[in-house]
């Protein structure tokens, strides 16, 4: 369809008073050849909108709205069948620069040029249609999985529930008592999962496979083909989304020899204690005599760099529960709790208080040094740094180690590495590669056969693991999200939880799964580019099978054929554009976001010649965090250098190196890249944007040196969204630095 | 590092503390706000935090050998600031009660005297029976012993002075022995505990420590540091000086009656109303009664301290002694001065009651709340002696640090409450 570009300049919010709007209009019409250019006192008002609508009716289809930040009035400037390009004259120009200044006007002119350049090239995405199956697969039938299944079924979706054991219920089903799940959070509760299990098993929408495991999952969201092995037989079916609620396993206590486990028969774990509780009497394993003095060692292998570095969050309450049960079974029992800190969050403080009131439960902070037998398998616990101010010895009949939770998850990426290395070894070709592969096989031996989901993804058969081996993808902002689209984790596989939080997780993950299915049915992306209908297009004739895209995609979107050609799975894609940034052949593009579009924007900027001594800097900034940060700085009227031009990018990982080369050859003097924090506690919406850019900018630096350019001309910064005071400082420092270095000799 | 301590948690002891006023003991989670809030807590061995954990774990031996529990005046500054409502001030009071019983000799008496159900028997019946017995052996003894002329005073006719002094001297003598044994036990246990923790050589000789302690007691200067219930210091000063005055007069009366004639000075007994000793006695009596009444009303009004039978029995007993003493005097004046001889039997009865109450007060002194007189003094002497009280060893820097700390604790508490 023929493009008819229409430019609208808003004069409200200080824009009209700070800029020469007439001159700006001339840039649009005379220089950029826009068919229409109009200005208005208040473009977002009814009259302004009506003015635009009139033009749309008369054929305008590529709209450029030069007004406020695209983060405001987003819906107001959306018109059916048109693409609207927003030029941020308010936050990024008039609110952050000297009004009616030559440089400010030049900045506005350039932003308008860039906007029009993009409007000319960007297209409205085609809609894609695929047949979307809306069944939800829930893996794991504990409290979390059952809740997810019931909630998804309750919302009208078909559910398949796969449980490894012969009965539903998981860990909670094995426990006799639990700590209270409702106010006043003081007394023990008996566990009764029967009603929930019956509700699941009798629900018409829920198909339950017990004693079953997932053999294979092929395909993509909306089209997952699942093979299940259940008690010798097998079943195959299609689902749309997956909730992984595989729960937890106790930390391996055999590694806790220093606390007597395995060495002394009367040292047991809290899980083994649950078995004693379920048996109705707490007798010592060594001689079956009643255990009247029970020492609980908290954080056994938890919050310990040698073992589990994290806190499982529930062991304190479990110990308090077990001590109370022991006292309830036999009032002569005494329980000694040796803790690092008592962590009973929220209302559970009252549960702790309740236990404290009991004269037979003794608490002290302590660092346990060791556990020794004193004869007849009696035990003596030695502890230091206690509240009593001494090293202490506590005599006990039974020692219970409060071990933490380990997620029931497999490390998909490690399994993939293992399999690849095995393949290399099997091939047997000599060389350094073989040695490395042999080493990898040895190191990763433990992951063999651990897969749970058995996904046929190029990047591995299970979810990638993140901090502490939990497969969560964004633990702060977006719970339940993983790095595999439409696969959500819930319960203890996501984070150590109690059953109350696990049930909440089950509901949350079920809702997320439903959301992803409905979006997939519309051909739209899920979080974080929610509702984005664009998708990457691969011009495969020119593909060199370098595999960068298949390896760098954070979401495992791309599979490979035997040669290594990428095979896109559109519904897995989150539209971050990292593949586009990675591709050296520049064959990946979106309709409204491509290497060419951004290059055109870069080239549209007018570069003053060297005698004007006005440097030009290019800022490629993450639209999720850095761009809003700059908006905030404008809102706070914090000034920054008027020599920089910003282009928002979907993710810093989507920055293709060619843009930097284009900018430098065009005459830009410096390039500032601003992304999100990387590392274990990353803040990147797409996991590894800044990290990937970091790797690529190493190559860029090499290039710069080859071109005899100073490597300081390209700078990479990581910025939290809250640092609006820091960003203008970064810009100004960079501008000063470039002035010191001098102008680009390629001008 | 010192050797590891083998814990023998004594659940019974914990339950006893909880039962005798320390109900909230177990709520403590060792934040140490109490030790910061306490104005009399020392830098070297701050309390009551450590006492709270010892009590929670039932470490009886440690608490019984701890002088710090006796440095507390139960002003409850700490209880007011405790974020968890564990009421350390009341817990220490309960621990002190246990300590009195623990150190008492014979120990069974310590246990009996503090059982509410034995109060009527031990405080009324037993002394009444003993006094009655004394009266019945009066005449046989008068015939055997060379007692000279009986004194003509009103009450001496009923209960002669020689019998009175003989009776009380022997029983308080026994109590005195019990008290000495208790003090020795207490002192020794403190020494043993300190030796175990390598606390170093004594900071001050015993005699100067006693002098310092007595000076401190005379001015109640440590008591003055407690802020929450500052008025209690005055209450205690009244009762204390009232008791001291009456004690001195009693001793003087005995000297006057029996020693003065030996030196050839005529006994002036019974003293004239304007005699200095009589003035001291009457003023002391009034001060004592006022102090006791104030103590009782203060405790009634205040919700910040738990009052146990252990506490109230003592105050009521003291008040009873004061009131019956005055009644006895009033009846004597009425009979001797105004010739109301019809009141004689009432007067004798009142006097008898007075004697019964005095028995409870003095003879059970080492076993009742009154024992704080002994143990607190000994603990203060020990604190001076061992140096745990000395400013030089305070962990906190001298100067304004305490008020700052306090205001910090206040702020934290306000924030917590908000």
């Amino acid at each position: 369809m023929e493009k008819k570009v229409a430019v609208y300049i808003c004069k409200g919010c200080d824009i009209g008073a700070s800029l020469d709007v007439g001159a700006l209009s001339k840039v649009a019409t005379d220089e950029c050849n826009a068919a229409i250019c109009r200005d208005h006192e208040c473009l977002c008002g009814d009259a302004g909108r009506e003015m635009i609508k009139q033009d749309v009716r008369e054929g305008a289809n590529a709209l450029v709205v030069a007004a406020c930040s695209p983060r405001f009035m987003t819906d107001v400037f959306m018109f059916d069948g048109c693409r609207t390009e927003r030029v941020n004259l308010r936050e990024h120009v008039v609110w952050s620069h000297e009004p009616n200044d030559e440089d400010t006007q030049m900045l506005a002119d350039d932003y308008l040029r860039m906007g029009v350049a993009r409007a000319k090239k960007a297209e409205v995405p085609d809609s894609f249609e695929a047949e979307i199956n809306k069944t939800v697969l829930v893996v794991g039938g504990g409290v979390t999985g059952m809740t997810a299944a019931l909630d998804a079924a309750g919302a009208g979706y078909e559910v398949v529930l796969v449980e490894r054991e012969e009965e539903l219920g998981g860990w909670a089903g094995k426990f006799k008592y639990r700590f209270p799940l409702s106010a006043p959070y003081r007394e023990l509760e008996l566990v009764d999962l029967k009603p929930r299990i019956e509700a699941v098993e009798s629900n018409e929408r829920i198909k339950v496979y017990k004693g079953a495991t997932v053999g294979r999952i092929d395909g993509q969201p909306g089209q997952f083909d699942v093979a299940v092995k259940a008690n010798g037989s097998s079943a195959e079916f299609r689902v749309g989304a997956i909730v992984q609620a595989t729960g937890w396993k106790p930390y391996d206590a055999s590694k806790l020899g220093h606390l007597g486990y395995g060495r002394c028969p009367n040292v047991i774990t809290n899980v083994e204690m649950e078995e004693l509780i379920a048996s109705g009497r707490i007798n010592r394993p060594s001689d079956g005599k009643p255990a009247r003095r029970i020492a609980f060692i908290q954080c056994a292998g938890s919050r310990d760099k040698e073992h589990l570095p994290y806190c499982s969050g529930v062991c304190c309450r479990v110990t308090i529960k077990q001590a109370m049960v022991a006292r309830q079974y036999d009032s002569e029992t005494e329980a000694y709790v040796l803790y690092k800190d008592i962590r009973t969050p929220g209302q559970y403080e009252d549960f702790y208080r309740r236990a404290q009131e009991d004269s037979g439960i003794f608490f002290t902070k302590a660092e346990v040094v060791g556990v020794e037998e004193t004869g007849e398998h009696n035990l003596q616990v030695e502890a230091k740094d206690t509240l009593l101010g001494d090293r202490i010895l506590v005599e006990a009949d039974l020692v219970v180690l409060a071990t933490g939770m380990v997620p029931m998850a497999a490390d998909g990426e490690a399994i993939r590495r293992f399999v690849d290395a095995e393949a290399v070894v099997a091939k047997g070709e000599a060389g350094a590669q073989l040695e490395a592969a042999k080493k990898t096989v040895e190191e990763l031996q433990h992951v063999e056969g651990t897969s749970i989901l058995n996904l046929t993804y190029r990047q591995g058969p299970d979810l990638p693991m993140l901090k502490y081996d939990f497969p969560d993808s964004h633990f702060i902002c977006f719970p339940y999200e993983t790095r595999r689209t439409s696969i959500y984790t819930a319960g203890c596989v996501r984070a150590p939880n109690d059953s109350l939080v696990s049930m909440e997780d089950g509901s949350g993950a079920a809702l997320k799964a439903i959301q992803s299915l409905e979006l997939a049915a519309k051909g739209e992306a899920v979080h974080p580019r929610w509702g984005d209908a664009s998708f990457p297009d691969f011009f495969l004739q020119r593909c060199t099978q370098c595999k960068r895209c298949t390896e760098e995609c954070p979401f495992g979107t791309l599979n490979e054929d035997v040669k290594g050609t990428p095979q896109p799975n559109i519904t897995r894609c989150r539209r971050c554009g990292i593949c586009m940034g990675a591709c050296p052949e520049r064959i990946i593009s979106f309709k409204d976001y491509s290497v060419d579009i951004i290059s055109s924007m870069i080239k549209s900027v007018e570069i003053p010649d060297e005698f004007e001594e006005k440097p030009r800097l290019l800022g490629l900034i993450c639209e999720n965090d850095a761009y809003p940060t700059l908006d905030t700085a404008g809102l706070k009227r914090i000034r920054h250098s008027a020599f920089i031009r910003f282009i928002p990018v979907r993710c810093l990982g989507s920055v293709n190196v060619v843009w930097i080369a284009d900018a430098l050859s065009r005459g830009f003097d410096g390039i500032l890249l601003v992304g999100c924090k990387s590392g274990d506690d990353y803040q990147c919406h797409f996991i590894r944007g800044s990290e990937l850019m970091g790797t690529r900018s190493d190559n860029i630096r090499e290039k710069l040196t080859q071109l005899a350019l100073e490597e300081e001309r390209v700078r990479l910064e990581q910025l939290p969204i809250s640092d609006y005071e820091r960003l203008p400082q970064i810009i100004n420092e960079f501008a000063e630095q470039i002035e010191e270095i001098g102008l680009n000799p390629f001008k | 590092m010192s050797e590891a301590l083998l814990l023998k948690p004594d659940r019974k002891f914990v339950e006893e503390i909880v039962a005798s006023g320390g109900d909230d003991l177990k709520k403590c989670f060792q934040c140490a706000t109490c030790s910061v809030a306490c104005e009399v807590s020392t830098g070297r061995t701050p309390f009551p935090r450590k006492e709270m954990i010892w009590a929670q774990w039932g470490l009886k031996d440690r608490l019984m050998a701890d002088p710090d529990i006796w440095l507390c005046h139960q002003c409850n500054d700490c209880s007011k600031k405790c974020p968890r409502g564990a009421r350390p001030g009341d817990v220490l009071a309960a621990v002190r009660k246990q300590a009195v019983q623990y150190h008492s000799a014979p120990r069974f008496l310590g246990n009996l005297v503090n059982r509410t159900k034995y109060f009527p028997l031990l405080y009324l019946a037993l002394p009444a029976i003993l006094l009655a017995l004394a009266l019945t052996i009066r005449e046989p003894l008068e015939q055997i012993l060379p007692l000279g002329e009986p004194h003509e005073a009103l009450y001496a006719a009923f209960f002669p002075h020689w019998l009175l002094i003989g009776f009380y001297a022997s029983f308080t003598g026994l109590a005195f022995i019990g008290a000495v044994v208790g003090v020795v036990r207490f002192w020794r246990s403190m020494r043993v505990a300190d030796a175990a923790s390598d606390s170093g050589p004594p900071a001050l000789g015993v005699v100067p420590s006693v002098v310092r302690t007595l000076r401190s007691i005379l001015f109640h200067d440590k008591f003055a540091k407690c802020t929450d219930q500052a008025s209690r210091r005055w209450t205690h000063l009244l009762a204390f000086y009232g008791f001291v005055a009456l004690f001195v007069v009693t001793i003087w009366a005995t000297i006057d009656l029996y020693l003065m004639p030996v030196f050839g000075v005529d006994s002036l007994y019974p003293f004239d109303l304007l005699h200095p000793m009589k003035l001291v006695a009457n003023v002391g009596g009034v001060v004592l009664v006022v102090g006791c009444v104030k103590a009782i009303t203060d405790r009634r009004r205040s919700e910040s301290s738990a009052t146990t039978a252990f506490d109230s029995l003592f105050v009521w007993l003291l008040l009873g002694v004061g009131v019956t003493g005055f009644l006895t005097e009033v009846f004597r004046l009425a009979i001797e001065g105004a010739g109301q001889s019809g009141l004689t039997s009432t007067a004798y009865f009142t006097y008898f009651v007075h004697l019964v109450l005095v028995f409870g007060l003095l003879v059970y002194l080492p076993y009742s709340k009154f024992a704080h007189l002994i143990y607190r003094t000994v603990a203060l002497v020990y604190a001076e002696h061992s140096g745990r009280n000395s400013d030089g060893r305070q962990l906190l820097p001298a100067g304004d640090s305490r008020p700052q700390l306090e205001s910090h604790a206040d702020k934290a508490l306000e924030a917590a409450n908000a």
Side-chain angles (χ1 to χ4, degrees):
Chain A
M1 191 169 55
E2 188 69 23
K3 276 252 164 110
K4 186 175 174 186
V5 177
V7 176
Y8 302 92
I9 304 169
C10 182
K11 295 204 282 189
C13 299
D14 304 335
I15 298 171
S18 312
L19 293 172
D20 181 347
V21 173
L24 202 56
S25 301
K26 279 213 175 72
V27 170
T29 50
D30 300 1
E31 198 182 309
C32 302
N33 300 321
I36 304 169
C37 179
R38 302 185 204 280
D39 55 53
H40 197 277
E41 292 301 327
C42 176
L43 202 56
C44 59
D46 288 344
R49 256 174 67 82
E50 195 45 50
M51 180 177 85
I52 302 174
K53 271 189 192 163
Q54 184 58 35
D55 289 342
V56 170
R57 279 193 286 271
E58 288 169 12
N61 55 10
L63 311 179
V64 178
V65 170
C68 45
S69 162
R71 299 175 62 247
F72 301 95
M73 307 290 169
T74 314
D75 296 345
V76 172
F77 295 122
M78 291 220 284
F79 301 94
D80 284 344
C82 298
R83 235 197 123 262
T84 306
E85 183 61 32
R86 299 284 298 270
V87 174
N88 188 347
L89 290 185
R90 191 176 71 176
E91 283 82 355
H92 289 192
V93 182
V94 302
W95 279 359
S96 46
H97 297 90
E98 185 74 28
N100 299 310
D101 181 81
E102 184 194 10
D103 289 328
T104 310
Q105 184 71 29
M106 290 171 102
L107 179 65
D109 292 350
D110 276 344
Y111 274 141
L112 193 66
R113 287 181 189 111
M114 287 154 73
V116 176
R118 184 165 188 174
K120 282 180 178 170
K121 296 216 164 170
E123 302 287 343
V124 178
D126 299 331
S127 59
F128 79 90
E129 274 172 25
E131 204 175 303
I132 298 297
N133 179 301
K134 291 191 180 172
T135 303
V136 177
L137 169 68
V138 178
V139 183
V143 281
T144 315
M146 288 197 290
T147 308
L150 284 171
D151 284 355
Y157 291 80
E158 297 296 319
V159 177
V160 179
L161 179 62
V162 177
E163 167 57 42
R164 184 179 54 156
E165 294 189 22
E166 296 301 327
E167 290 304 326
L168 296 179
W171 282 111
K174 295 185 175 67
F175 301 157
K176 187 169 178 185
Y177 290 94
R178 67 183 176 204
F179 47 80
L181 297 189
S182 57
Y185 297 99
R186 279 177 61 84
E187 302 301 331
L188 297 170
E189 282 178 13
L190 278 166
V191 182
D192 184 13
L193 288 183
K194 260 189 205 137
R196 191 168 285 260
I197 292 171
E198 272 166 25
V200 170
E201 291 185 334
S202 62
N203 192 308
E204 285 180 356
R205 292 190 194 277
I206 304 176
K207 166 86 182 134
V208 182
Y209 290 100
K210 289 189 280 194
T213 52
V214 176
R216 194 190 72 250
I217 300 179
D218 268 333
Q220 57 178 338
Q223 300 167 347
F224 285 122
D225 290 314
V226 184
V228 162
K229 287 179 282 189
N231 293 329
S233 65
S234 62
E236 290 192 11
F237 49 88
R238 175 168 271 207
V239 300
I242 300 164
V243 173
Q244 183 178 350
T246 43
W248 59 280
K249 55 191 172 199
Y251 181 69
D252 181 4
S254 65
K255 295 176 188 162
L256 302 174
H258 65 293
L259 299 178
Y261 193 86
R263 183 161 48 85
C264 318
N266 291 330
V267 176
I268 62 172
T269 66
N270 46 5
V271 173
E272 288 161 341
M273 181 67 169
E274 290 293 341
E275 287 165 17
L276 291 183
I277 287 174
S279 78
R281 55 173 66 86
I282 297 163
N283 292 342
R284 294 165 23 124
S286 69
D287 49 17
K289 284 186 194 154
R292 290 251 162 78
R293 299 171 301 170
I294 307 173
F296 290 90
I297 299 177
Q298 296 307 103
C299 296
S302 289
R303 300 168 68 196
D304 181 340
K305 277 182 195 148
E306 303 292 312
H307 302 280
L308 294 183
Y310 55 87
C311 164
S312 289
V314 294
C315 328
C316 285
R317 283 172 284 168
V318 168
T319 288
I320 291 171
K321 172 191 81 174
Q322 292 179 345
M324 282 167 70
V325 173
R327 292 273 300 148
Q328 185 176 303
Y329 280 3
D330 181 350
S331 62
E332 284 304 305
T333 302
E334 289 177 1
Y336 318 120
V337 182
L338 308 172
Y339 61 83
K340 278 187 191 166
D341 304 286
I342 288 285
R343 292 185 172 178
T344 49
Q347 302 289 319
Y348 286 106
E349 185 70 6
D350 287 338
F351 187 55
Y352 172 33
R353 281 175 201 259
R354 165 69 186 79
Q356 266 192 311
E357 285 165 19
D358 189 328
S359 60
I361 304 178
F362 301 82
F363 289 92
T364 182
K365 185 181 175 70
E367 191 75 36
V368 173
V369 179
V371 178
E372 295 303 330
E373 282 190 344
T374 55
E376 291 177 22
H377 297 304
N378 287 334
L379 299 158
Q380 204 170 52
V381 183
E382 183 173 357
K384 60 176 184 175
D385 295 341
T386 67
L387 290 171
L388 294 144
D390 298 280
R391 280 173 91 90
I392 56 168
L393 292 171
V394 182
E395 289 177 327
D397 304 325
L398 185 70
V399 167
V400 181
L401 305 180
T403 50
M405 289 175 160
V406 176
M408 239 348 241
D411 187 344
E413 289 175 324
I415 297 174
R416 171 72 200 199
R417 277 207 306 283
F418 174 73
V419 171
D420 284 353
E422 257 193 341
V424 172
V425 174
K427 243 189 204 171
E429 285 172 14
Q433 230 182 340
L434 181 68
E435 287 312 305
K438 273 184 181 163
K439 214 175 144 197
T440 309
V441 169
E442 202 173 307
E443 269 170 19
L444 294 177
Q445 197 71 49
H446 64 278
V447 303
E448 193 181 9
T450 55
S451 181
I452 295 169
L453 295 180
N454 287 301
L455 299 165
T456 54
Y457 278 45
R458 186 250 176 258
Q459 291 183 358
D462 279 273
L463 302 172
M465 281 181 170
L466 281 134
K467 202 170 184 178
Y468 306 142
D469 295 348
F470 286 89
D472 198 15
S473 93
H474 210 297
F475 40 88
I476 300 169
C477 301
F478 314 107
Y480 327 125
E481 283 291 345
T482 73
R483 283 176 50 192
R484 297 290 175 258
T485 306
S486 286
I487 305 180
Y488 298 95
T489 49
C492 297
V493 71
R494 178 180 79 79
N497 287 325
D498 59 36
S499 40
L500 207 56
V501 178
S502 292
M503 286 191 268
E504 197 180 290
D505 261 25
S507 305
L511 289 173
K512 276 280 187 184
I514 291 168
Q515 201 180 45
S516 79
L517 290 173
E518 293 303 327
L519 284 163
K522 288 198 280 180
E524 292 176 359
V526 296
H527 151 87
R529 293 190 57 80
W530 187 88
D532 184 357
S534 71
F535 53 88
D537 192 20
F538 293 75
F539 187 67
L540 290 175
Q541 285 93 320
R542 267 182 31 219
C543 175
T544 58
Q545 284 115 9
C546 73
K547 299 185 191 176
R548 276 189 215 170
C549 55
T550 58
E551 275 166 14
E552 288 190 5
C553 175
F555 304 106
T557 301
L558 306 161
N559 282 359
E560 275 166 20
D561 65 9
V562 272
K563 280 194 247 160
T565 316
Q567 295 177 315
N569 295 279
I570 295 302
T571 53
R572 290 186 198 167
C573 175
R574 309 257 184 125
R575 285 73 160 172
C576 60
I578 283 179
C579 51
M580 183 177 110
C583 183
E585 292 296 310
R586 305 192 287 281
I587 61 162
I588 306 168
S589 47
F590 298 79
K591 282 273 197 251
D592 55 354
Y593 186 60
S594 68
V595 173
D596 180 43
I597 292 172
I598 303 298
S599 282
S600 310
M601 289 172 81
I602 293 170
K603 287 171 188 162
S604 73
V605 172
E606 200 179 79
I607 306 286
D609 64 36
E610 53 190 312
F611 306 109
E612 280 187 61
E613 294 195 341
K614 285 188 192 298
R616 281 294 174 258
L617 313 172
L618 177 66
L620 294 169
I621 61 173
C622 162
E623 65 177 13
N624 303 296
D625 280 17
Y627 193 91
T629 310
L630 199 59
D631 276 358
T632 311
L635 209 63
K636 304 263 177 196
R637 307 296 197 276
I638 304 174
R639 298 267 165 95
H640 62 258
S641 167
F643 296 143
I644 193 162
R645 275 83 182 109
F646 284 106
I647 297 177
V649 294
R650 288 187 179 184
C651 173
L652 215 52
S654 73
V655 170
N656 196 298
V657 179
V658 76
W659 297 339
I660 291 164
D662 282 352
L664 289 171
S665 61
R666 174 82 187 148
F668 274 98
D669 302 291
I671 294 155
L672 181 63
L673 303 153
V674 191
C676 310
K677 199 171 174 305
S678 60
D680 262 358
D681 49 349
Y682 66 86
Q683 294 176 351
C684 175
H685 286 50
F686 302 107
I687 327 297
R688 294 163 64 202
S690 292
E691 203 180 309
L692 290 169
M693 194 62 235
T695 328
R696 287 178 209 158
S697 54
D698 287 342
N699 303 338
I700 294 167
R701 266 185 220 112
E702 256 172 54
K703 270 251 169 65
L704 287 171
T705 328
Q706 280 169 14
L707 291 169
L709 282 174
E710 298 76 5
E711 59 176 66
E712 290 81 12
R713 288 193 189 274
V714 180
R715 181 156 162 187
L716 176 63
E717 288 281 346
Q718 296 186 5
L719 187 86
I721 192 165
S722 51
D723 245 357
Y724 59 84
E725 278 173 338
R726 174 99 185 95
L727 186 53
Q729 283 172 16
I730 292 173
I731 297 167
N732 293 338
E733 279 166 26
F734 186 55
E736 274 169 35
Q737 194 185 11
I738 293 299
E739 279 191 71
E740 265 172 41
I741 296 171
L743 297 180
N744 181 352
F746 290 103
K747 261 192 214 286
Chain B
M1 192 173 288
S2 59
E3 208 166 292
L5 165 83
L6 180 59
L7 288 192
K8 299 265 188 202
D10 183 344
R11 187 154 48 88
K12 291 267 148 43
F13 180 68
V14 177
E15 281 159 7
E16 277 167 17
I17 299 281
V18 168
S20 54
D23 319 40
D24 300 308
L25 159 68
K26 293 279 286 168
K27 291 180 184 167
C28 169
F29 61 8
Q30 291 284 300
C31 67
T33 301
C34 49
S35 292
V36 178
C38 180
E39 292 292 345
V40 293
S41 174
T42 56
R44 193 176 133 204
T45 55
F47 65 91
R49 170 184 166 166
K50 66 179 186 303
E51 284 72 15
M52 292 300 280
I53 187 92
W54 291 348
Q56 280 185 336
W57 276 78
L59 305 184
K60 190 172 180 174
D61 295 349
R62 293 207 148 194
L63 286 166
M64 297 301 101
D66 178 20
D68 294 339
I69 59 170
W70 292 103
L71 305 187
C72 162
H73 296 288
Q74 211 189 348
C75 70
N76 271 319
D77 279 354
C78 55
S79 298
K80 212 174 159 190
K81 292 195 166 81
C82 176
R84 221 169 155 82
R87 307 202 55 79
D90 293 344
V91 170
L92 285 199
V95 173
R96 284 193 292 272
K97 182 187 167 191
Q98 295 293 327
V100 168
Q101 294 179 20
Y102 178 81
H103 296 302
S104 60
R107 201 160 278 163
F108 77 89
L109 208 50
N111 294 334
L112 283 182
V113 163
N114 292 306
R115 289 217 188 139
T116 320
K117 65 174 173 181
Y118 293 139
F119 281 177
L121 182 69
L122 285 172
Y123 284 86
L124 298 175
L126 185 65
I129 291 164
L130 289 175
L131 284 164
L133 274 176
L135 282 178
T136 53
I137 58 165
R138 171 190 165 181
E139 279 187 28
L141 279 177
E142 268 174 339
Q143 284 164 10
I144 301 162
L145 299 169
L147 290 164
E149 282 298 300
H151 203 281
E152 65 209 20
L154 174 67
Y155 293 114
F158 168 55
F159 210 108
H161 288 126
W162 65 266
L163 187 59
L164 191 69
I165 290 162
F167 181 84
Y168 280 99
S170 37
F171 280 105
T172 48
L174 287 174
F176 182 76
I177 295 167
V180 169
V181 174
V183 167
V184 170
R185 282 180 180 173
F186 181 37
W187 188 274
R188 199 176 282 159
S189 62
M190 288 189 291
R191 283 275 292 276
V192 169
D194 258 3
S197 64
D198 304 329
S199 60
L204 198 66
V206 176
V207 176
S209 302
V210 171
V211 172
R212 270 201 202 181
T213 303
L214 290 180
R215 196 169 56 203
S216 166
I217 291 173
L218 286 181
F219 295 106
H220 276 41
D221 57 357
K222 290 227 161 55
F223 215 148
K225 288 182 179 172
C226 300
T227 51
D228 185 43
Q229 296 180 19
S231 69
R232 276 188 56 224
R233 178 191 174 210
W234 293 103
T235 310
H236 195 272
L237 274 172
L238 289 175
F240 174 71
Y241 277 106
F243 182 80
V244 167
L246 291 170
F247 188 72
V248 167
V249 170
T250 306
I251 300 294
W252 180 253
T254 311
I255 293 170
D256 180 274
L257 205 57
Y258 289 99
L259 274 184
M260 285 307 181
V262 176
F263 295 114
V265 181
D266 279 347
S267 169
L268 291 173
Y269 192 85
F271 302 126
D272 187 68
L273 270 180
L274 292 175
H275 185 275
M277 273 298 152
K278 196 69 192 172
L279 281 176
V280 170
N282 277 327
V283 171
V286 169
V287 163
L288 177 75
V289 169
V290 169
C292 291
V293 169
K294 199 164 170 315
I296 290 165
T297 50
D298 279 357
R299 275 186 178 274
R300 286 261 164 91
R301 231 178 293 140
S302 150
E303 286 168 7
S304 67
S305 288
T307 301
T308 58
F310 181 68
D311 301 319
S312 38
L313 175 75
F314 169 59
V315 189
W316 280 104
L317 203 57
L318 206 52
L319 179 64
V321 168
V323 169
T324 51
F326 268 118
L327 284 177
T328 308
E329 185 184 4
V330 168
F331 285 133
R332 180 173 67 81
L333 292 176
I335 293 163
E336 288 180 350
Q340 300 281 338
S341 53
L343 285 171
T344 308
S345 53
T346 318
Y348 282 175
F349 178 74
T350 313
Y351 185 52
F352 190 78
V353 172
H354 180 68
L355 292 180
V356 166
L357 296 182
V358 167
F359 184 95
L361 190 69
L362 293 185
V363 178
Y364 299 147
L365 185 146
Y367 315 108
S368 66
K369 167 82 184 249
F370 209 178
H372 76 273
L373 175 82
I374 306 164
Y375 292 108
R376 192 182 302 274
T377 308
V378 171
L380 286 169
V381 170
Y382 186 83
E384 295 286 356
H385 173 61
S386 67
R388 65 168 58 219
N389 238 354
S390 71
D391 292 338
R393 295 201 199 174
Q394 280 211 341
L395 294 176
L396 296 168
D400 293 336
S401 58
R402 188 46 77 92
Q404 273 169 16
L405 274 174
E406 189 204 29
S407 69
H408 185 72
D410 277 339
K411 270 180 209 158
L413 194 77
E414 274 166 30
N417 288 338

